[in-house]
């Protein structure tokens, strides 16, 4: 049973560029959430997708956008990259019940130079 | 918005000693979840607490949810080197997790 798969694992981008990160949820999960984790901090909620719609959004600017596909996989897009966007981006999937919590992927380490 | 605070930020123990981390929320929580993140790893779900005053045990780990549902604690008995990592408490919902900053536990063998 595959867990959450994220790609790529590492990425280096230049300020002002755009980036797309990808996530395949755990088998049986229909909800995908994205989190940003700066070094030494707890993950911060970006947004959640369910039934191909953004269901809830955290305090992130419109430069952060996403998409969910019919097969429940998801993309996170960040435009006009800033140095401060350098972080570990985590995808988490879940199903209707939270008894088993969220399943996190290994993340994409984004470095903006 | 909801804020979740954890203390201590860091804890270093000798192997075999006990360890406790405390979590406080600015608002009443419908539930609380605990995650462990190993160095260089990703958060891994440990447990969810839902009921006021609830206590759950997983081997050497004991989790408590406060009567007012605004605080929680994680206690590890007789720590082992495999316990190393950052422990996060989170206010949970179907829509988002609000993470605390975590407690980094290091264990000296």
């Amino acid at each position: 049973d595959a867990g959450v798969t994220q790609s790529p694992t590492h990425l280096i981008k230049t300020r002002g560029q755009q980036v797309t990160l990808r996530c395949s949820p755990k088998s049986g999960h229909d909800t995908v959430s994205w989190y940003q984790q700066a070094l030494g901090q707890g993950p911060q909620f970006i947004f959640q997708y369910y039934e191909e719609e953004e269901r809830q959004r955290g305090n992130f600017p419109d430069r952060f956008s996403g998409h969910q596909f019919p097969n429940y996989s998801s993309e996170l897009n960040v435009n006009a990259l800033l140095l401060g966007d350098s972080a570990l981006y985590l995808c988490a999937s879940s199903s209707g019940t939270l008894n088993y919590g969220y399943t996190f992927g290994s993340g994409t380490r984004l470095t903006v130079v | 918005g909801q804020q979740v605070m954890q203390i201590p930020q860091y804890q270093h123990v000798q192997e075999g000693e006990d360890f406790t981390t405390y979590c406080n929320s600015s608002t009443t929580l419908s539930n609380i979840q605990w995650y462990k993140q190993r160095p260089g790893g990703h958060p891994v779900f440990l447990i969810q607490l839902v009921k006021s005053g609830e206590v759950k045990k997983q081997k050497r780990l004991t989790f408590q949810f406060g009567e007012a549902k605004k605080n929680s604690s994680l206690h590890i008995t007789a720590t082992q080197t495999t316990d190393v990592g950052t422990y996060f408490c989170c206010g949970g919902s179907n829509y988002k997790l609000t993470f605390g900053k975590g407690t980094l536990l290091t264990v000296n063998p």
Side-chain angles (χ1 to χ4, degrees):
Chain A
D1 183 16
V4 177
T5 304
Q6 290 188 246
S7 63
T9 54
H10 296 84
L11 203 52
I12 300 176
K13 288 287 190 178
T14 305
R15 274 181 301 175
Q17 284 189 317
Q18 178 264 345
V19 69
T20 297
L21 310 182
R22 295 176 175 82
C23 172
S24 293
K26 181 179 178 179
S27 176
H29 286 182
D30 57 7
T31 303
V32 173
S33 305
W34 288 92
Y35 289 80
Q36 180 195 66
Q37 186 175 25
L39 209 58
Q41 301 294 316
Q44 298 296 307
F45 175 73
I46 303 175
F47 41 55
Q48 184 183 83
Y49 276 84
Y50 173 71
E51 292 188 340
E52 302 179 50
E53 297 285 335
E54 182 183 287
R55 181 154 74 169
Q56 180 127 344
R57 187 178 184 93
N59 295 324
F60 280 80
D62 292 344
R63 298 186 297 108
F64 290 77
S65 63
H67 189 78
Q68 186 179 34
F69 299 94
N71 66 353
Y72 308 122
S73 67
S74 177
E75 289 182 348
L76 164 64
N77 301 291
V78 187
N79 294 323
L81 284 167
L82 304 173
L83 296 179
D85 295 330
S86 297
L88 179 67
Y89 288 84
L90 294 162
C91 172
S93 72
S94 57
S95 62
T97 173
L98 287 180
N99 290 336
Y100 302 102
Y102 289 75
T103 302
F104 283 82
S106 299
T108 294
R109 173 71 62 185
L110 173 65
T111 302
V112 182
V113 298
Chain B
Q2 181 183 80
Q3 293 186 19
V4 176
M5 294 144 285
Q6 279 185 259
I7 55 170
Q9 191 173 358
Y10 306 97
Q11 184 76 60
H12 179 75
V13 300
Q14 290 291 128
E15 190 172 21
E17 292 182 337
D18 292 357
F19 159 77
T20 304
T21 175
Y22 300 92
C23 175
N24 287 286
S25 170
S26 58
T27 60
T28 301
L29 300 168
S30 57
N31 67 75
I32 195 160
Q33 299 183 17
W34 285 89
Y35 290 78
K36 176 184 178 182
Q37 186 172 21
R38 294 182 184 275
H42 56 277
V44 174
F45 176 72
L46 294 176
I47 207 159
Q48 176 175 262
L49 304 172
V50 178
K51 299 176 183 177
S52 170
E54 189 170 14
V55 178
K56 286 189 176 180
K57 293 188 176 184
Q58 289 179 350
K59 297 183 180 178
R60 296 177 295 104
L61 278 61
T62 301
F63 303 85
Q64 290 188 316
F65 201 8
E67 294 290 340
K69 300 185 75 173
K70 294 183 71 174
N71 62 288
S72 181
S73 65
L74 159 60
H75 180 81
I76 301 178
T77 303
T79 55
Q80 300 175 357
T81 55
T82 53
D83 295 326
V84 165
T86 301
Y87 292 85
F88 292 101
C89 66
C90 314
S93 78
N94 282 335
Y95 303 118
K96 63 183 275 188
L97 293 173
T98 301
F99 280 78
K101 289 190 174 182
T103 296
L104 173 60
L105 171 65
T106 55
V107 180
N108 198 29

